PDB file of all heavy atoms in Angstrom:
ATOM      1  N   PHE E  10      61.051 190.650  77.361  1.00 81.00           N
ATOM      2  CA  PHE E  10      61.535 189.313  76.985  1.00 81.00           C
ATOM      3  C   PHE E  10      61.345 188.373  78.160  1.00 81.00           C
ATOM      4  O   PHE E  10      61.558 188.730  79.323  1.00 81.00           O
ATOM      5  CB  PHE E  10      62.995 189.356  76.571  1.00 81.00           C
ATOM      6  CG  PHE E  10      63.269 190.143  75.326  1.00 81.00           C
ATOM      7  CD1 PHE E  10      63.936 191.353  75.398  1.00 81.00           C
ATOM      8  CD2 PHE E  10      62.810 189.703  74.080  1.00 81.00           C
ATOM      9  CE1 PHE E  10      64.162 192.108  74.247  1.00 81.00           C
ATOM     10  CE2 PHE E  10      63.028 190.452  72.956  1.00 81.00           C
ATOM     11  CZ  PHE E  10      63.734 191.654  73.040  1.00 81.00           C
ATOM     12  N   THR E  11      61.038 187.104  77.821  1.00 88.00           N
ATOM     13  CA  THR E  11      60.944 186.070  78.843  1.00 88.00           C
ATOM     14  C   THR E  11      62.366 185.723  79.286  1.00 88.00           C
ATOM     15  O   THR E  11      62.639 185.496  80.500  1.00 88.00           O
ATOM     16  CB  THR E  11      60.265 184.829  78.275  1.00 88.00           C
ATOM     17  OG1 THR E  11      59.034 185.225  77.685  1.00 88.00           O
ATOM     18  CG2 THR E  11      60.001 183.790  79.338  1.00 88.00           C
ATOM     19  N   ALA E  12      63.293 185.669  78.356  1.00 89.00           N
ATOM     20  CA  ALA E  12      64.698 185.355  78.639  1.00 89.00           C
ATOM     21  C   ALA E  12      65.561 185.856  77.515  1.00 89.00           C
ATOM     22  O   ALA E  12      65.093 186.023  76.357  1.00 89.00           O
ATOM     23  CB  ALA E  12      64.919 183.854  78.827  1.00 89.00           C
ATOM     24  N   THR E  13      66.849 186.171  77.798  1.00 88.00           N
ATOM     25  CA  THR E  13      67.802 186.525  76.749  1.00 88.00           C
ATOM     26  C   THR E  13      69.119 185.789  77.037  1.00 88.00           C
ATOM     27  O   THR E  13      69.401 185.411  78.190  1.00 88.00           O
ATOM     28  CB  THR E  13      68.078 188.019  76.732  1.00 88.00           C
ATOM     29  OG1 THR E  13      68.670 188.447  77.935  1.00 88.00           O
ATOM     30  CG2 THR E  13      66.811 188.845  76.476  1.00 88.00           C
ATOM     31  N   ARG E  14      69.897 185.595  76.005  1.00 92.00           N
ATOM     32  CA  ARG E  14      71.238 185.045  76.115  1.00 92.00           C
ATOM     33  C   ARG E  14      72.117 185.697  75.084  1.00 92.00           C
ATOM     34  O   ARG E  14      71.801 185.673  73.861  1.00 92.00           O
ATOM     35  CB  ARG E  14      71.197 183.551  75.924  1.00 92.00           C
ATOM     36  CG  ARG E  14      72.562 182.915  76.069  1.00 92.00           C
ATOM     37  CD  ARG E  14      72.534 181.431  75.908  1.00 92.00           C
ATOM     38  NE  ARG E  14      73.800 180.865  76.236  1.00 92.00           N
ATOM     39  CZ  ARG E  14      74.022 179.647  76.583  1.00 92.00           C
ATOM     40  NH1 ARG E  14      72.999 178.795  76.631  1.00 92.00           N
ATOM     41  NH2 ARG E  14      75.211 179.186  76.855  1.00 92.00           N
ATOM     42  N   HIS E  15      73.209 186.282  75.506  1.00 91.00           N
ATOM     43  CA  HIS E  15      74.107 186.932  74.618  1.00 91.00           C
ATOM     44  C   HIS E  15      75.497 186.294  74.753  1.00 91.00           C
ATOM     45  O   HIS E  15      76.031 186.234  75.856  1.00 91.00           O
ATOM     46  CB  HIS E  15      74.209 188.436  74.907  1.00 91.00           C
ATOM     47  CG  HIS E  15      72.925 189.142  74.646  1.00 91.00           C
ATOM     48  ND1 HIS E  15      71.867 189.113  75.497  1.00 91.00           N
ATOM     49  CD2 HIS E  15      72.534 189.890  73.578  1.00 91.00           C
ATOM     50  CE1 HIS E  15      70.855 189.783  74.980  1.00 91.00           C
ATOM     51  NE2 HIS E  15      71.238 190.271  73.827  1.00 91.00           N
ATOM     52  N   MET E  16      76.004 185.797  73.676  1.00 95.00           N
ATOM     53  CA  MET E  16      77.329 185.144  73.725  1.00 95.00           C
ATOM     54  C   MET E  16      78.298 185.975  72.858  1.00 95.00           C
ATOM     55  O   MET E  16      78.010 186.303  71.716  1.00 95.00           O
ATOM     56  CB  MET E  16      77.186 183.723  73.142  1.00 95.00           C
ATOM     57  CG  MET E  16      76.311 182.846  73.967  1.00 95.00           C
ATOM     58  SD  MET E  16      75.917 181.238  73.221  1.00 95.00           S
ATOM     59  CE  MET E  16      74.768 181.785  71.961  1.00 95.00           C
ATOM     60  N   THR E  17      79.407 186.248  73.465  1.00 93.00           N
ATOM     61  CA  THR E  17      80.471 187.050  72.750  1.00 93.00           C
ATOM     62  C   THR E  17      81.695 186.193  72.552  1.00 93.00           C
ATOM     63  O   THR E  17      81.909 185.203  73.268  1.00 93.00           O
ATOM     64  CB  THR E  17      80.821 188.318  73.521  1.00 93.00           C
ATOM     65  OG1 THR E  17      81.404 187.943  74.789  1.00 93.00           O
ATOM     66  CG2 THR E  17      79.601 189.210  73.710  1.00 93.00           C
ATOM     67  N   GLY E  18      82.501 186.589  71.555  1.00 91.00           N
ATOM     68  CA  GLY E  18      83.776 185.906  71.323  1.00 91.00           C
ATOM     69  C   GLY E  18      84.850 186.588  72.078  1.00 91.00           C
ATOM     70  O   GLY E  18      84.595 187.379  72.989  1.00 91.00           O
ATOM     71  N   PRO E  19      86.085 186.323  71.712  1.00 94.00           N
ATOM     72  CA  PRO E  19      87.214 187.034  72.370  1.00 94.00           C
ATOM     73  C   PRO E  19      87.047 188.523  72.151  1.00 94.00           C
ATOM     74  O   PRO E  19      86.505 188.984  71.124  1.00 94.00           O
ATOM     75  CB  PRO E  19      88.463 186.510  71.616  1.00 94.00           C
ATOM     76  CG  PRO E  19      88.009 185.197  70.976  1.00 94.00           C
ATOM     77  CD  PRO E  19      86.551 185.364  70.702  1.00 94.00           C
ATOM     78  N   VAL E  20      87.551 189.314  73.099  1.00 94.00           N
ATOM     79  CA  VAL E  20      87.468 190.752  73.035  1.00 94.00           C
ATOM     80  C   VAL E  20      88.827 191.331  72.687  1.00 94.00           C
ATOM     81  O   VAL E  20      89.819 191.026  73.352  1.00 94.00           O
ATOM     82  CB  VAL E  20      86.963 191.362  74.359  1.00 94.00           C
ATOM     83  CG1 VAL E  20      86.947 192.891  74.321  1.00 94.00           C
ATOM     84  CG2 VAL E  20      85.615 190.800  74.713  1.00 94.00           C
ATOM     85  N   LEU E  21      88.837 192.162  71.631  1.00 96.00           N
ATOM     86  CA  LEU E  21      90.089 192.869  71.226  1.00 96.00           C
ATOM     87  C   LEU E  21      90.023 194.253  71.862  1.00 96.00           C
ATOM     88  O   LEU E  21      89.066 195.031  71.652  1.00 96.00           O
ATOM     89  CB  LEU E  21      90.146 192.986  69.709  1.00 96.00           C
ATOM     90  CG  LEU E  21      91.313 193.786  69.098  1.00 96.00           C
ATOM     91  CD1 LEU E  21      92.636 193.119  69.483  1.00 96.00           C
ATOM     92  CD2 LEU E  21      91.152 193.940  67.602  1.00 96.00           C
ATOM     93  N   GLU E  22      91.033 194.558  72.626  1.00 96.00           N
ATOM     94  CA  GLU E  22      91.135 195.852  73.329  1.00 96.00           C
ATOM     95  C   GLU E  22      92.143 196.724  72.679  1.00 96.00           C
ATOM     96  O   GLU E  22      93.262 196.320  72.466  1.00 96.00           O
ATOM     97  CB  GLU E  22      91.502 195.558  74.806  1.00 96.00           C
ATOM     98  CG  GLU E  22      91.568 196.805  75.637  1.00 96.00           C
ATOM     99  CD  GLU E  22      91.863 196.462  77.098  1.00 96.00           C
ATOM    100  OE1 GLU E  22      91.471 195.393  77.583  1.00 96.00           O
ATOM    101  OE2 GLU E  22      92.539 197.286  77.751  1.00 96.00           O
ATOM    102  N   THR E  23      91.729 197.969  72.380  1.00 96.00           N
ATOM    103  CA  THR E  23      92.612 198.922  71.728  1.00 96.00           C
ATOM    104  C   THR E  23      92.572 200.246  72.484  1.00 96.00           C
ATOM    105  O   THR E  23      91.456 200.832  72.639  1.00 96.00           O
ATOM    106  CB  THR E  23      92.207 199.200  70.259  1.00 96.00           C
ATOM    107  OG1 THR E  23      92.095 197.965  69.554  1.00 96.00           O
ATOM    108  CG2 THR E  23      93.225 200.100  69.579  1.00 96.00           C
ATOM    109  N   GLU E  24      93.692 200.711  73.027  1.00 94.00           N
ATOM    110  CA  GLU E  24      93.766 201.977  73.739  1.00 94.00           C
ATOM    111  C   GLU E  24      93.725 203.086  72.679  1.00 94.00           C
ATOM    112  O   GLU E  24      94.386 202.979  71.640  1.00 94.00           O
ATOM    113  CB  GLU E  24      95.046 202.035  74.585  1.00 94.00           C
ATOM    114  CG  GLU E  24      95.114 201.028  75.670  1.00 94.00           C
ATOM    115  CD  GLU E  24      94.055 201.281  76.755  1.00 94.00           C
ATOM    116  OE1 GLU E  24      93.721 202.401  77.025  1.00 94.00           O
ATOM    117  OE2 GLU E  24      93.649 200.260  77.346  1.00 94.00           O
ATOM    118  N   ASN E  25      92.995 204.162  72.984  1.00 89.00           N
ATOM    119  CA  ASN E  25      93.053 205.338  72.153  1.00 89.00           C
ATOM    120  C   ASN E  25      93.186 206.565  73.060  1.00 89.00           C
ATOM    121  O   ASN E  25      93.226 206.425  74.269  1.00 89.00           O
ATOM    122  CB  ASN E  25      91.839 205.426  71.181  1.00 89.00           C
ATOM    123  CG  ASN E  25      90.498 205.364  71.889  1.00 89.00           C
ATOM    124  OD1 ASN E  25      90.387 205.889  73.020  1.00 89.00           O
ATOM    125  ND2 ASN E  25      89.572 204.724  71.280  1.00 89.00           N
ATOM    126  N   GLY E  26      93.229 207.758  72.491  1.00 87.00           N
ATOM    127  CA  GLY E  26      93.548 208.957  73.293  1.00 87.00           C
ATOM    128  C   GLY E  26      92.545 209.259  74.378  1.00 87.00           C
ATOM    129  O   GLY E  26      92.938 209.810  75.405  1.00 87.00           O
ATOM    130  N   ASP E  27      91.288 208.893  74.244  1.00 89.00           N
ATOM    131  CA  ASP E  27      90.298 209.269  75.246  1.00 89.00           C
ATOM    132  C   ASP E  27      89.621 208.079  75.892  1.00 89.00           C
ATOM    133  O   ASP E  27      88.534 208.216  76.452  1.00 89.00           O
ATOM    134  CB  ASP E  27      89.256 210.190  74.594  1.00 89.00           C
ATOM    135  CG  ASP E  27      88.531 209.532  73.458  1.00 89.00           C
ATOM    136  OD1 ASP E  27      88.996 208.500  72.925  1.00 89.00           O
ATOM    137  OD2 ASP E  27      87.431 210.071  73.103  1.00 89.00           O
ATOM    138  N   GLY E  28      90.228 206.912  75.825  1.00 93.00           N
ATOM    139  CA  GLY E  28      89.615 205.765  76.461  1.00 93.00           C
ATOM    140  C   GLY E  28      90.098 204.458  75.785  1.00 93.00           C
ATOM    141  O   GLY E  28      91.196 204.408  75.278  1.00 93.00           O
ATOM    142  N   THR E  29      89.205 203.472  75.800  1.00 95.00           N
ATOM    143  CA  THR E  29      89.531 202.182  75.253  1.00 95.00           C
ATOM    144  C   THR E  29      88.448 201.726  74.341  1.00 95.00           C
ATOM    145  O   THR E  29      87.258 201.902  74.624  1.00 95.00           O
ATOM    146  CB  THR E  29      89.693 201.127  76.378  1.00 95.00           C
ATOM    147  OG1 THR E  29      90.665 201.592  77.272  1.00 95.00           O
ATOM    148  CG2 THR E  29      90.080 199.750  75.868  1.00 95.00           C
ATOM    149  N   ARG E  30      88.785 201.105  73.218  1.00 95.00           N
ATOM    150  CA  ARG E  30      87.839 200.510  72.300  1.00 95.00           C
ATOM    151  C   ARG E  30      87.864 199.011  72.477  1.00 95.00           C
ATOM    152  O   ARG E  30      88.924 198.397  72.519  1.00 95.00           O
ATOM    153  CB  ARG E  30      88.185 200.884  70.863  1.00 95.00           C
ATOM    154  CG  ARG E  30      87.275 200.207  69.849  1.00 95.00           C
ATOM    155  CD  ARG E  30      87.659 200.569  68.442  1.00 95.00           C
ATOM    156  NE  ARG E  30      87.093 199.639  67.481  1.00 95.00           N
ATOM    157  CZ  ARG E  30      86.679 199.958  66.278  1.00 95.00           C
ATOM    158  NH1 ARG E  30      86.803 201.219  65.868  1.00 95.00           N
ATOM    159  NH2 ARG E  30      86.181 199.066  65.471  1.00 95.00           N
ATOM    160  N   LEU E  31      86.656 198.409  72.628  1.00 94.00           N
ATOM    161  CA  LEU E  31      86.511 196.962  72.756  1.00 94.00           C
ATOM    162  C   LEU E  31      85.722 196.440  71.584  1.00 94.00           C
ATOM    163  O   LEU E  31      84.625 196.973  71.274  1.00 94.00           O
ATOM    164  CB  LEU E  31      85.835 196.594  74.080  1.00 94.00           C
ATOM    165  CG  LEU E  31      86.442 197.145  75.350  1.00 94.00           C
ATOM    166  CD1 LEU E  31      85.563 196.810  76.523  1.00 94.00           C
ATOM    167  CD2 LEU E  31      87.859 196.618  75.563  1.00 94.00           C
ATOM    168  N   ASP E  32      86.243 195.457  70.913  1.00 96.00           N
ATOM    169  CA  ASP E  32      85.549 194.794  69.748  1.00 96.00           C
ATOM    170  C   ASP E  32      85.321 193.321  70.018  1.00 96.00           C
ATOM    171  O   ASP E  32      86.210 192.623  70.519  1.00 96.00           O
ATOM    172  CB  ASP E  32      86.447 194.880  68.487  1.00 96.00           C
ATOM    173  CG  ASP E  32      86.509 196.288  67.948  1.00 96.00           C
ATOM    174  OD1 ASP E  32      87.267 197.122  68.409  1.00 96.00           O
ATOM    175  OD2 ASP E  32      85.764 196.519  66.965  1.00 96.00           O
ATOM    176  N   THR E  33      84.104 192.856  69.726  1.00 95.00           N
ATOM    177  CA  THR E  33      83.781 191.396  69.882  1.00 95.00           C
ATOM    178  C   THR E  33      82.604 191.072  69.021  1.00 95.00           C
ATOM    179  O   THR E  33      81.682 191.871  68.812  1.00 95.00           O
ATOM    180  CB  THR E  33      83.552 191.021  71.316  1.00 95.00           C
ATOM    181  OG1 THR E  33      83.439 189.622  71.407  1.00 95.00           O
ATOM    182  CG2 THR E  33      82.304 191.661  71.869  1.00 95.00           C
ATOM    183  N   HIS E  34      82.576 189.857  68.489  1.00 95.00           N
ATOM    184  CA  HIS E  34      81.365 189.339  67.818  1.00 95.00           C
ATOM    185  C   HIS E  34      80.361 188.968  68.884  1.00 95.00           C
ATOM    186  O   HIS E  34      80.698 188.622  70.008  1.00 95.00           O
ATOM    187  CB  HIS E  34      81.698 188.131  66.978  1.00 95.00           C
ATOM    188  CG  HIS E  34      82.340 188.429  65.674  1.00 95.00           C
ATOM    189  ND1 HIS E  34      82.589 189.684  65.232  1.00 95.00           N
ATOM    190  CD2 HIS E  34      82.803 187.608  64.701  1.00 95.00           C
ATOM    191  CE1 HIS E  34      83.169 189.659  64.033  1.00 95.00           C
ATOM    192  NE2 HIS E  34      83.296 188.370  63.687  1.00 95.00           N
ATOM    193  N   VAL E  35      79.080 188.967  68.520  1.00 94.00           N
ATOM    194  CA  VAL E  35      78.008 188.645  69.464  1.00 94.00           C
ATOM    195  C   VAL E  35      76.870 187.874  68.771  1.00 94.00           C
ATOM    196  O   VAL E  35      76.584 188.165  67.583  1.00 94.00           O
ATOM    197  CB  VAL E  35      77.436 189.927  70.162  1.00 94.00           C
ATOM    198  CG1 VAL E  35      76.811 190.876  69.167  1.00 94.00           C
ATOM    199  CG2 VAL E  35      76.456 189.559  71.242  1.00 94.00           C
ATOM    200  N   ARG E  36      76.306 186.982  69.506  1.00 95.00           N
ATOM    201  CA  ARG E  36      75.060 186.281  69.101  1.00 95.00           C
ATOM    202  C   ARG E  36      74.113 186.548  70.268  1.00 95.00           C
ATOM    203  O   ARG E  36      74.401 186.186  71.403  1.00 95.00           O
ATOM    204  CB  ARG E  36      75.251 184.809  68.937  1.00 95.00           C
ATOM    205  CG  ARG E  36      75.940 184.409  67.686  1.00 95.00           C
ATOM    206  CD  ARG E  36      76.005 182.886  67.613  1.00 95.00           C
ATOM    207  NE  ARG E  36      76.565 182.518  66.333  1.00 95.00           N
ATOM    208  CZ  ARG E  36      76.465 181.317  65.801  1.00 95.00           C
ATOM    209  NH1 ARG E  36      75.880 180.383  66.517  1.00 95.00           N
ATOM    210  NH2 ARG E  36      76.984 181.048  64.628  1.00 95.00           N
ATOM    211  N   GLY E  37      72.964 187.147  69.984  1.00 92.00           N
ATOM    212  CA  GLY E  37      72.003 187.417  71.010  1.00 92.00           C
ATOM    213  C   GLY E  37      70.661 186.679  70.696  1.00 92.00           C
ATOM    214  O   GLY E  37      70.115 186.816  69.609  1.00 92.00           O
ATOM    215  N   TYR E  38      70.257 185.856  71.599  1.00 93.00           N
ATOM    216  CA  TYR E  38      68.994 185.116  71.506  1.00 93.00           C
ATOM    217  C   TYR E  38      68.023 185.718  72.469  1.00 93.00           C
ATOM    218  O   TYR E  38      68.316 185.883  73.691  1.00 93.00           O
ATOM    219  CB  TYR E  38      69.228 183.624  71.779  1.00 93.00           C
ATOM    220  CG  TYR E  38      70.121 182.993  70.715  1.00 93.00           C
ATOM    221  CD1 TYR E  38      71.516 182.923  70.915  1.00 93.00           C
ATOM    222  CD2 TYR E  38      69.585 182.539  69.547  1.00 93.00           C
ATOM    223  CE1 TYR E  38      72.317 182.383  69.928  1.00 93.00           C
ATOM    224  CE2 TYR E  38      70.390 181.919  68.551  1.00 93.00           C
ATOM    225  CZ  TYR E  38      71.756 181.886  68.796  1.00 93.00           C
ATOM    226  OH  TYR E  38      72.556 181.331  67.808  1.00 93.00           O
ATOM    227  N   HIS E  39      66.797 185.967  71.977  1.00 90.00           N
ATOM    228  CA  HIS E  39      65.772 186.613  72.766  1.00 90.00           C
ATOM    229  C   HIS E  39      64.537 185.745  72.717  1.00 90.00           C
ATOM    230  O   HIS E  39      64.057 185.432  71.643  1.00 90.00           O
ATOM    231  CB  HIS E  39      65.464 187.997  72.200  1.00 90.00           C
ATOM    232  CG  HIS E  39      66.715 188.821  72.022  1.00 90.00           C
ATOM    233  ND1 HIS E  39      67.549 188.673  70.924  1.00 90.00           N
ATOM    234  CD2 HIS E  39      67.268 189.793  72.823  1.00 90.00           C
ATOM    235  CE1 HIS E  39      68.540 189.511  71.046  1.00 90.00           C
ATOM    236  NE2 HIS E  39      68.412 190.197  72.173  1.00 90.00           N
ATOM    237  N   HIS E  40      64.045 185.360  73.885  1.00 91.00           N
ATOM    238  CA  HIS E  40      62.841 184.493  73.977  1.00 91.00           C
ATOM    239  C   HIS E  40      61.697 185.349  74.396  1.00 91.00           C
ATOM    240  O   HIS E  40      61.739 186.066  75.411  1.00 91.00           O
ATOM    241  CB  HIS E  40      63.067 183.369  74.978  1.00 91.00           C
ATOM    242  CG  HIS E  40      61.961 182.434  75.047  1.00 91.00           C
ATOM    243  ND1 HIS E  40      61.000 182.481  76.017  1.00 91.00           N
ATOM    244  CD2 HIS E  40      61.644 181.344  74.285  1.00 91.00           C
ATOM    245  CE1 HIS E  40      60.131 181.513  75.846  1.00 91.00           C
ATOM    246  NE2 HIS E  40      60.499 180.805  74.791  1.00 91.00           N
ATOM    247  N   ILE E  41      60.581 185.309  73.610  1.00 87.00           N
ATOM    248  CA  ILE E  41      59.381 186.010  73.893  1.00 87.00           C
ATOM    249  C   ILE E  41      58.257 184.994  73.928  1.00 87.00           C
ATOM    250  O   ILE E  41      57.744 184.597  72.863  1.00 87.00           O
ATOM    251  CB  ILE E  41      59.099 187.125  72.870  1.00 87.00           C
ATOM    252  CG1 ILE E  41      60.322 188.028  72.743  1.00 87.00           C
ATOM    253  CG2 ILE E  41      57.850 187.907  73.238  1.00 87.00           C
ATOM    254  CD1 ILE E  41      60.273 188.914  71.547  1.00 87.00           C
ATOM    255  N   ALA E  42      57.875 184.505  75.099  1.00 89.00           N
ATOM    256  CA  ALA E  42      56.925 183.452  75.247  1.00 89.00           C
ATOM    257  C   ALA E  42      55.573 183.821  74.600  1.00 89.00           C
ATOM    258  O   ALA E  42      55.057 184.892  74.848  1.00 89.00           O
ATOM    259  CB  ALA E  42      56.710 183.091  76.712  1.00 89.00           C
ATOM    260  N   GLY E  43      55.092 182.905  73.747  1.00 87.00           N
ATOM    261  CA  GLY E  43      53.770 183.066  73.156  1.00 87.00           C
ATOM    262  C   GLY E  43      53.652 184.063  72.022  1.00 87.00           C
ATOM    263  O   GLY E  43      52.572 184.429  71.618  1.00 87.00           O
ATOM    264  N   ALA E  44      54.793 184.564  71.535  1.00 85.00           N
ATOM    265  CA  ALA E  44      54.756 185.585  70.451  1.00 85.00           C
ATOM    266  C   ALA E  44      54.202 184.951  69.208  1.00 85.00           C
ATOM    267  O   ALA E  44      54.558 183.826  68.821  1.00 85.00           O
ATOM    268  CB  ALA E  44      56.120 186.143  70.246  1.00 85.00           C
ATOM    269  N   ASP E  45      53.324 185.667  68.495  1.00 85.00           N
ATOM    270  CA  ASP E  45      52.860 185.211  67.197  1.00 85.00           C
ATOM    271  C   ASP E  45      54.051 185.108  66.259  1.00 85.00           C
ATOM    272  O   ASP E  45      54.868 186.021  66.188  1.00 85.00           O
ATOM    273  CB  ASP E  45      51.829 186.244  66.630  1.00 85.00           C
ATOM    274  CG  ASP E  45      50.527 186.255  67.367  1.00 85.00           C
ATOM    275  OD1 ASP E  45      50.234 185.252  68.073  1.00 85.00           O
ATOM    276  OD2 ASP E  45      49.806 187.227  67.278  1.00 85.00           O
ATOM    277  N   GLY E  46      54.153 184.002  65.525  1.00 87.00           N
ATOM    278  CA  GLY E  46      55.273 183.817  64.652  1.00 87.00           C
ATOM    279  C   GLY E  46      56.486 183.110  65.192  1.00 87.00           C
ATOM    280  O   GLY E  46      57.464 182.895  64.533  1.00 87.00           O
ATOM    281  N   GLY E  47      56.442 182.761  66.469  1.00 90.00           N
ATOM    282  CA  GLY E  47      57.550 182.056  67.074  1.00 90.00           C
ATOM    283  C   GLY E  47      58.119 182.755  68.278  1.00 90.00           C
ATOM    284  O   GLY E  47      57.980 183.979  68.419  1.00 90.00           O
ATOM    285  N   ASP E  48      58.748 182.018  69.158  1.00 91.00           N
ATOM    286  CA  ASP E  48      59.232 182.540  70.420  1.00 91.00           C
ATOM    287  C   ASP E  48      60.652 183.148  70.379  1.00 91.00           C
ATOM    288  O   ASP E  48      61.069 183.778  71.312  1.00 91.00           O
ATOM    289  CB  ASP E  48      59.232 181.450  71.524  1.00 91.00           C
ATOM    290  CG  ASP E  48      57.835 180.975  71.881  1.00 91.00           C
ATOM    291  OD1 ASP E  48      56.881 181.653  71.543  1.00 91.00           O
ATOM    292  OD2 ASP E  48      57.743 179.953  72.562  1.00 91.00           O
ATOM    293  N   ILE E  49      61.406 182.861  69.323  1.00 93.00           N
ATOM    294  CA  ILE E  49      62.826 183.209  69.281  1.00 93.00           C
ATOM    295  C   ILE E  49      63.127 184.289  68.269  1.00 93.00           C
ATOM    296  O   ILE E  49      62.686 184.187  67.079  1.00 93.00           O
ATOM    297  CB  ILE E  49      63.734 181.986  68.994  1.00 93.00           C
ATOM    298  CG1 ILE E  49      63.483 180.906  70.054  1.00 93.00           C
ATOM    299  CG2 ILE E  49      65.204 182.392  68.940  1.00 93.00           C
ATOM    300  CD1 ILE E  49      63.919 181.246  71.469  1.00 93.00           C
ATOM    301  N   TRP E  50      63.865 185.332  68.678  1.00 91.00           N
ATOM    302  CA  TRP E  50      64.404 186.311  67.743  1.00 91.00           C
ATOM    303  C   TRP E  50      65.924 186.334  68.035  1.00 91.00           C
ATOM    304  O   TRP E  50      66.338 186.532  69.178  1.00 91.00           O
ATOM    305  CB  TRP E  50      63.807 187.687  68.030  1.00 91.00           C
ATOM    306  CG  TRP E  50      64.448 188.843  67.397  1.00 91.00           C
ATOM    307  CD1 TRP E  50      64.746 188.975  66.054  1.00 91.00           C
ATOM    308  CD2 TRP E  50      64.900 190.035  68.035  1.00 91.00           C
ATOM    309  NE1 TRP E  50      65.344 190.186  65.841  1.00 91.00           N
ATOM    310  CE2 TRP E  50      65.459 190.882  67.046  1.00 91.00           C
ATOM    311  CE3 TRP E  50      64.896 190.509  69.376  1.00 91.00           C
ATOM    312  CZ2 TRP E  50      65.979 192.141  67.317  1.00 91.00           C
ATOM    313  CZ3 TRP E  50      65.407 191.748  69.603  1.00 91.00           C
ATOM    314  CH2 TRP E  50      65.948 192.544  68.587  1.00 91.00           C
ATOM    315  N   ALA E  51      66.697 186.128  66.989  1.00 93.00           N
ATOM    316  CA  ALA E  51      68.164 186.044  67.137  1.00 93.00           C
ATOM    317  C   ALA E  51      68.830 187.162  66.362  1.00 93.00           C
ATOM    318  O   ALA E  51      68.445 187.444  65.193  1.00 93.00           O
ATOM    319  CB  ALA E  51      68.726 184.686  66.728  1.00 93.00           C
TER     320      ALA E  51
END
């Protein structure tokens, strides 16, 4: 990738018996310069 950008929302943290679970929404934008069909994959 030429560049990437990942944006997450608030993170919900939940403790469980063997560690922690983290939940969040994400938008990931990936730029691939000169790619046939367009430069952006989201």
Side-chain angles (χ1 to χ4, degrees):
F10 295 111
T11 309
T13 64
R14 180 178 188 160
H15 294 78
M16 297 171 285
T17 62
V20 177
L21 176 62
E22 182 177 327
T23 307
E24 297 292 327
N25 54 36
D27 60 343
T29 303
R30 175 181 163 146
L31 304 175
D32 286 82
T33 187
H34 282 357
V35 62
R36 286 182 172 195
Y38 294 93
H39 309 81
H40 184 262
I41 306 167
D45 290 339
D48 292 348
I49 302 295
W50 168 53

